[in-house]
Amino acid sequence: MTTDTKNGQGRTGGRGIAPAAIRGLALALVALPGAVLCFVLSVVSIALIPIGVGIVTTPYVLKGVRTFANWRRVLAAEWGGVRIPPSYRPIPEDANPWGRTFGMLGDPATWRDLRWLPVDMTAGFVTALLPFVLLVYPLEGFALAVGLWRVMPDGYWYGFVRITDQASALGAGVLALALLFLAHFFTPRLLHVHFLLTRAVLGSGRGELTERVRVLTETRRDAVDASAAELRRIERDLHDGAQARLVAMGMDLGTIEALVEKDPAKARELLAHARQSSAEALTELRELVRGIHPPVLAERGLGDAVRALALRLPVATEVNVELPGRAEAPVESAAYFAVSEVLTNAVKHSGADRIWIDLHHADGHLRVTVTDNGRGGAVVGAGSGLTGVERRLGTFDGVLAVSSPAGGPTMVTMEMPCALS
């Protein structure tokens, strides 16, 4: 098992001309068919509701639309630094098709998704493709300037330059050079404009305050439930562990008191047993305290606490930490136990033989990524340990994203807003 820590100066995204152009092209080529497919399936499925077919198909179609929209939210944050928090209303796991269909259709976030799809396949496609066009179009001008104009039709236009001879072709080259100069400044910004357009349509808009109140109400309830469950766990551990040992030790001491003069040898034997019981009780109390708030977390911070956690795993683990300071204690505690739960799931269920943990802070957010090379298939849902992680993070306005295709690998990303001191 190894741990590898890098204390760099932070991360720099691909904000140059070429990365922005390539990302814009990839986004345009994937987003256009995706948006068209989602929109057509949604319209057809909703139209079939009156005859009953849509009751069955609509929840699956809208779930696919939400997955597509959430993927774009991730790209907006990763590639453009634009955060678009999801605000979907929860649907009960045991809801029947009728309740699931109309529950999703009654959610304003669903209709924002459906309004966004036509925008994404038109203006969104153009704004995604423009960075690539702005970078590639000057190449045509340079090619015309060096002789390509000779094989082009007479009077070929490049921009506003009509090419009829070598002199006008050189004029096209000058225009291409000017466009390339503009691309240097505007290509990354154009991709950012695409994500701003996505947020303008996909964001919650006027209902943001209402959604915020709803989310806060839910996270408060989850925090109260989690706190009550934690208190019950501590009470149970104390009752079944340290308390039972201390009671037994007290009974041994009473017996020793009665035997100390009558049977010293037996008394010494019971004393040794009582000493062992006290040591075991102390060990259990230390483990209990570590489960409430690990001392290494309080003394040395989240990075060292996660390293210590990784050292106890039976799987080879690499830890990369880029934290220039410390977050508030509640945030550190939530992040630590969230990582602990994710690692426990990976060790128990993934079949992985290697795990990578990455912690860094950027743009006012603490981000933790846990990746394993296991079999994949992890989901957030009823009965999954990741549901508890999501609730724990939600108390601090945090989010959980899981990528776990069948066959692996699994990547779990946790993010919470916080400031470092």
Side-chain angles (χ1 to χ4, degrees):
M1 185 184 311
T2 60
T3 60
D4 177 28
T5 303
K6 299 177 183 178
N7 294 314
Q9 297 177 349
R11 296 172 178 263
T12 57
R15 299 183 182 276
I17 302 177
I22 293 173
R23 287 174 174 179
L25 176 64
L27 192 59
L29 294 179
V30 175
L32 178 61
V36 171
L37 179 64
C38 287
F39 184 74
V40 171
L41 289 178
S42 298
V43 171
V44 172
S45 183
I46 293 174
L48 293 176
I49 288 178
I51 63 174
V53 177
I55 297 293
V56 178
T57 60
T58 299
Y60 296 101
V61 172
L62 293 182
K63 185 178 180 181
V65 172
R66 291 185 177 188
T67 300
F68 182 67
N70 284 332
W71 171 67
R72 298 297 292 279
R73 288 184 173 96
V74 172
L75 290 187
E78 292 283 347
W79 289 359
V82 177
R83 303 188 181 278
I84 314 172
S87 55
Y88 300 113
R89 294 176 181 175
I91 302 295
E93 293 291 335
D94 57 350
N96 57 35
W98 181 275
R100 189 174 296 273
T101 296
F102 288 97
M104 298 179 80
L105 290 177
D107 188 349
T110 298
W111 296 102
R112 284 196 296 270
D113 289 350
L114 297 178
R115 286 196 302 268
W116 165 71
L117 291 173
V119 175
D120 190 54
M121 68 179 72
T122 52
F125 173 76
V126 172
T127 53
L129 193 59
L130 272 178
F132 179 77
V133 173
L134 193 57
L135 178 63
V136 174
Y137 191 56
L139 300 180
E140 181 187 354
F142 294 142
L144 291 169
V146 298
L148 183 64
W149 68 275
R150 300 180 186 278
V151 299
M152 303 301 288
D154 187 37
Y156 181 79
W157 286 88
Y158 177 76
F160 56 81
V161 177
R162 186 170 183 269
I163 302 174
T164 56
D165 53 21
Q166 184 62 50
S168 57
L170 292 176
V174 172
L175 176 59
L177 186 63
L179 290 175
L180 189 61
F181 178 77
L182 292 175
H184 175 73
F185 294 100
F186 289 103
T187 295
R189 290 178 173 83
L190 284 172
L191 188 61
H192 186 68
V193 167
H194 169 82
F195 293 124
L196 291 178
L197 174 65
T198 302
R199 183 174 66 181
V201 183
L202 201 56
S204 57
R206 292 181 300 175
E208 184 175 357
L209 182 58
T210 302
E211 290 295 332
R212 177 65 175 161
V213 172
R214 181 186 64 79
V215 170
L216 287 176
T217 301
E218 291 181 357
T219 55
R220 182 185 63 181
R221 184 185 65 243
D222 291 340
V224 171
D225 292 344
S227 177
E230 186 69 10
L231 287 175
R232 288 194 298 270
R233 181 189 69 82
I234 294 172
E235 181 181 8
R236 183 178 63 253
D237 290 347
L238 283 173
H239 182 272
D240 297 339
Q243 178 178 319
R245 293 190 184 279
L246 290 174
V247 169
M249 188 173 64
M251 295 173 63
D252 287 343
L253 290 175
T255 305
I256 291 169
E257 186 178 11
L259 294 176
V260 69
E261 294 182 357
K262 298 179 181 179
D263 192 348
K266 183 65 175 179
R268 283 193 297 270
E269 181 182 344
L270 291 176
L271 276 173
H273 185 267
R275 185 184 303 111
Q276 181 181 357
S277 295
S278 67
E280 291 173 351
L282 182 59
T283 300
E284 290 184 356
L285 286 173
R286 285 173 176 168
E287 290 295 328
L288 183 61
V289 170
R290 187 178 291 111
I292 299 172
H293 193 79
V296 67
L297 180 62
E299 296 169 4
R300 303 184 61 180
L302 180 61
D304 285 341
V306 171
R307 290 189 202 104
L309 194 62
L311 287 171
R312 297 197 295 269
L313 295 178
V315 177
T317 305
E318 295 183 15
V319 182
N320 174 43
V321 179
E322 296 180 8
L323 298 177
R326 293 192 58 175
E328 295 180 352
V331 174
E332 284 191 334
S333 180
Y336 173 85
F337 286 109
V339 172
S340 177
E341 180 67 26
V342 171
L343 291 176
T344 300
N345 287 344
V347 171
K348 286 184 177 180
H349 307 298
S350 72
D353 58 16
R354 198 163 190 84
I355 297 175
W356 295 266
I357 306 173
D358 180 84
L359 297 91
H360 69 275
H361 185 271
D363 300 326
H365 287 72
L366 173 68
R367 172 171 291 185
V368 184
T369 303
V370 180
T371 307
D372 67 66
N373 62 351
R375 65 177 63 94
V379 294
V380 180
S384 169
L386 294 174
T387 303
V389 174
E390 187 175 43
R391 289 176 177 174
R392 184 186 294 272
L393 298 177
T395 306
F396 297 88
D397 288 339
V399 294
L400 174 73
V402 179
S403 173
S404 184
T410 295
M411 176 183 289
V412 179
T413 302
M414 297 161 281
E415 187 174 279
M416 289 187 294
C418 71
L420 300 185
S421 59

